[in-house]
Amino acid sequence: MATKVQVKLGERAYSIAIGCALPSLVSVENAQGHRAMIVSDSTVDPLYGAACQNRLEARGVVCQRVIVPAGEATKSLQWVEFLYSKAAEAGLDRSSILVALGGGMVGDLVGFVAATYLRGIRFVQMPTTLLAMVDSSVGGKTGINLSQGKNLVGAFYQPMEVEADLDRLQTLPRREYVSGLAEIVKYGVIWDASLFHLLEKHADELLARDPVLLEKVVARCCEIKAEVVAIDEREIGPRAILNFGHTLGHALEKVDGYGQWLHGEAVAIGMCYAARLSVAVEGFAAEEADRIRNLLLKFGLPVGVSGDRRASWPLLRQAMGADKKTVRNRLRFVLAKKLGSVVIGCEPGDDKLEEIWNVCCQ
Ligand code: NAD
Ligand code: GLY
């Protein structure tokens, strides 16, 4: 039995199914008799592509598979164009369905193609990484990278459903899995202190990918994201809380070169930084900042950088200023008030930002 979470967005509402060996697409009746194109990457397709295709075909869906290279470089205009051509060759029409079977890279790319091909066709997210299950497959952010930066072109475009089959996590490399845990910690910090406590208590079982615990935790993260997105789909305001730890995290990814850090690893360092800033300027309790650090450490995530990184501050500061969410170079942070509660739009000032960076370089 799967856990279902609803994303309440009026006529764009959809459900997320979370569980093991999910029996079928949640709303397969919407797909029967239509065409579908399953897009996956070169690592995921050999693992799950055929089973996914068989399942759809058994339900009367006319289905084909397309494979793109694994890796962030595929989230590009070139591969968008490739998928447009494949969709046209396959005769996909407005009633057809694109299926994104993969991690956040595939989800963002296919979501963007779905948003723009024929001015928008239906798509299903089938996330296969932990990060994609708890974050990127939910909420409708789709997009691709330019040589000038990540996610610079995109659209808000909601899937028709999300199917998070936890069995697929068993093949995920440990480093990728652990990276996804960072986003889970984030939900505890920004929204739900009891989730944070549960993670502290059951960190070992979560590291062991215990399916019962995973279902509970992934579902809770999806509930939180669904709630935030329902309040502010297009990130006019409160959705920004999802960026806790991401301001420095994104800058680290950029300055150190994409591929050096996995996203969750950079976010883990960014969350420790944000937690320390919160202690300095928002009255966040130092013991709670320590709890965040200790939990990330327990998961095997990085919580800082080496001492010789002090000198990289100007580059990081510049990268943070260039972030697409920055307004007139004023750095705004999401900071914690207490576990489970954050505030957006904090401007700690440059001296404080550098001082806390130096603390993170030990
Ligand atoms: P990814 O999609 O690149 O997957 C990571 C690696 O794991 C890839 O090599 C992939 O082939 C492999 N893989 C995936 N599932 C597997 C499985 N079940 N078994 C074995 N290997 C598997 O990376 P990701 O971390 O899932 O996503 C990162 C992307 O998500 C970035 O492009 C980022 O910008 C984007 N993102 C988007 C949002 C959003 O809201 N749209 C949020 C966060 C991140
Ligand atoms: N990953 C952040 C968001 O969806 O807003």
Side-chain angles (χ1 to χ4, degrees), residues 104-350:
M105 185 284 283
V106 166
D108 280 12
L109 171 72
V110 175
F112 183 68
V113 171
T116 46
Y117 180 72
L118 299 181
R119 299 198 181 91
I121 66 171
R122 301 184 295 172
F123 90 112
V124 173
Q125 287 271 19
M126 290 197 190
T128 62
T129 64
L130 187 57
L131 177 133
M133 288 183 187
V134 298
D135 190 2
S136 60
S137 68
V138 178
K141 281 190 182 176
T142 72
I144 53 159
N145 306 324
L146 299 182
S147 54
Q148 289 84 353
K150 273 194 65 162
N151 299 324
L152 288 184
V153 175
F156 285 99
Y157 193 69
Q158 303 294 342
M160 66 190 271
E161 61 196 48
V162 181
E163 181 195 280
D165 191 329
L166 302 169
D167 283 339
R168 296 185 181 129
L169 292 178
Q170 296 304 331
T171 53
L172 192 63
R174 185 177 170 90
R175 189 175 167 201
E176 295 285 352
Y177 179 82
V178 166
S179 170
L181 291 173
E183 295 286 356
I184 292 178
V185 172
K186 179 190 81 179
Y187 288 110
V189 176
I190 64 170
W191 197 270
D192 185 351
S194 61
L195 170 65
F196 190 91
H197 184 64
L198 180 98
L199 299 176
E200 288 180 316
K201 203 166 157 204
H202 297 289
D204 291 330
E205 293 105 296
L206 206 53
L207 276 170
R209 310 185 197 194
D210 174 87
V212 176
L213 184 63
L214 261 177
E215 183 167 333
K216 185 173 175 177
V217 167
V218 171
R220 182 64 192 130
C221 294
C222 289
E223 270 172 13
I224 295 169
K225 183 144 187 192
E227 204 168 327
V228 174
V229 167
I231 295 166
D232 178 21
E233 184 182 7
R234 288 179 168 250
E235 203 170 307
I236 310 297
R239 183 169 175 161
I241 65 171
L242 298 171
N243 298 326
F244 180 74
H246 284 58
T247 312
L248 181 73
H250 283 150
L252 276 169
E253 288 182 90
K254 187 170 183 182
V255 167
D256 293 351
Y258 294 108
Q260 170 77 22
W261 301 106
L262 294 183
H263 179 67
E265 294 169 347
V267 167
I269 298 170
M271 287 196 288
C272 287
Y273 177 74
R276 284 185 162 126
L277 266 180
S278 308
V279 173
V281 301
E282 284 296 331
F284 186 50
E287 306 78 58
E288 299 210 325
D290 287 343
R291 281 174 70 189
I292 296 173
R293 188 171 182 278
N294 290 338
L295 181 56
L296 294 168
L297 276 173
K298 175 107 190 174
F299 284 145
L301 283 157
V303 294
V305 292
S306 70
D308 56 9
R309 291 298 306 274
R310 286 196 172 85
S312 61
W313 174 249
L315 281 175
L316 287 168
R317 173 65 184 83
Q318 191 184 25
M320 289 194 276
D323 190 281
K324 64 183 180 306
K325 297 192 182 76
T326 305
V327 183
R328 288 187 291 279
N329 198 30
R330 290 166 77 107
L331 286 191
R332 298 215 169 120
F333 281 79
V334 181
L335 296 182
K337 293 297 258 185
K338 58 180 185 175
L339 276 178
S341 171
V342 289
V343 278
I344 60 173
C346 306
E347 295 183 9
D350 270 299

